[in-house]
């Protein structure tokens, strides 16, 4: 699972990172909670929570800590300071051979980089505004946007970036009116 976290950071990168008190501090610039949270990098993290808080406050962003399985002592120390769990990150993985499916219908999906304005509009309508799109822009390549259409109109978009041999899928959105019609499957 740790390789997935490395790929996640590489394909949805923070604007800047630095270390403080045993924590990796991410500057997310509004790109989301995961890209703005602090994560433990060594055993001194439990004693360095205040340093991580100070570093996050200096960036002007919310105090967020990302914990991984097995970090129960950190979880308890943060809870003792009044922190609650919010929005766990869920990672799903499958070998490429399991992802293979029928090719999408002709002219139903278009890989492209940089994204067309219509793809950016689809993401914005789906809650992935300019700050999250800036994360996509700063992600190193290879990467692509896939614009999906149904009923002769753009109705979905997804961002895909590679890190080594792992493709990470981010910002998948299908317009509500186009759901349950196969567009999400085509984008995948």
């Amino acid at each position: 699972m740790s390789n997935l976290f490395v790929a996640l950071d590489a394909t949805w990168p923070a604007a800047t990172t630095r270390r403080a008190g045993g924590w990796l501090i991410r500057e997310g610039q509004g790109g989301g909670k995961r890209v703005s949270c602090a994560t433990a990098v060594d055993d001194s993290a439990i004693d360095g929570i205040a340093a991580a808080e100070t570093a996050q406050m200096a960036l002007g962003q919310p105090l967020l800590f990302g914990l991984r399985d097995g970090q129960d002592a950190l979880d308890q120390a943060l809870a003792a300071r009044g922190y609650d769990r919010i929005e766990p990150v869920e990672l799903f993985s499958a070998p490429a051979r399991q992802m293979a499916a029928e090719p999408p219908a002709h002219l139903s999906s278009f890989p492209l980089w940089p994204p067309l304005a219509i793809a950016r509009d689809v993401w914005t309508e789906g809650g992935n505004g300019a700050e999250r799109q800036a994360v996509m822009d700063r992600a190193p390549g290879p990467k692509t946007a896939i614009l999906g259409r149904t009923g002769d109109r753009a109705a979905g978009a997804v961002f895909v970036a590679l890190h080594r041999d792992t493709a990470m899928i981010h910002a998948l959105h299908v317009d509500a009116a186009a759901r349950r019609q196969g567009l999400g499957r085509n984008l995948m």
Side-chain angles (χ1 to χ4, degrees):
M1 188 62 89
S2 64
N3 288 341
L4 286 179
F5 285 112
V6 170
L8 189 63
D9 283 344
T11 60
W12 196 261
T16 65
T17 60
R18 71 180 192 89
R19 292 186 179 212
W23 296 87
L24 178 67
I25 309 300
R26 292 175 182 81
E27 179 183 11
Q29 295 182 347
K33 290 180 181 75
R34 194 214 41 86
V35 76
S36 302
C37 73
T39 53
V41 292
D42 62 42
D43 293 338
S44 68
I46 201 159
D47 297 321
I49 294 172
E53 291 171 332
T54 299
Q56 290 182 80
M57 285 186 282
L59 293 172
Q61 61 188 33
L63 302 180
L64 297 169
F65 292 87
L67 301 183
R68 299 191 177 145
D69 288 340
Q71 294 182 319
D72 298 333
L74 281 173
D75 191 18
Q76 292 171 2
L78 288 165
R81 294 176 78 93
Y83 288 93
D84 291 321
R85 290 184 182 197
I86 56 170
E87 297 181 24
V89 173
E90 295 187 43
L91 296 173
F92 300 94
S93 66
R97 66 182 176 278
Q98 288 183 349
M99 296 298 291
E102 293 287 322
H106 183 64
L107 300 178
S108 67
S109 58
F110 306 88
L112 43 100
W113 194 265
L116 296 174
I118 189 68
R120 292 189 182 277
D121 291 345
V122 168
W123 279 319
T124 299
E125 290 170 13
N128 291 298
E131 295 88 356
R132 289 177 184 258
Q133 291 176 42
V135 177
M136 297 176 211
D137 292 334
R138 70 177 166 251
K143 60 187 174 185
T144 192
I146 302 174
L147 176 66
R149 65 181 210 136
T150 186
D152 289 329
R153 69 178 282 281
V158 65
F159 172 70
V160 183
L162 295 178
H163 177 70
R164 298 188 181 129
D165 63 349
T166 302
M168 296 297 288
I169 298 164
H170 302 277
L172 172 63
H173 176 73
V174 174
D175 290 345
R179 293 181 186 155
R180 315 288 292 155
Q181 299 174 36
L183 182 57
R185 182 182 66 245
N186 285 349
L187 291 170
M188 293 301 291

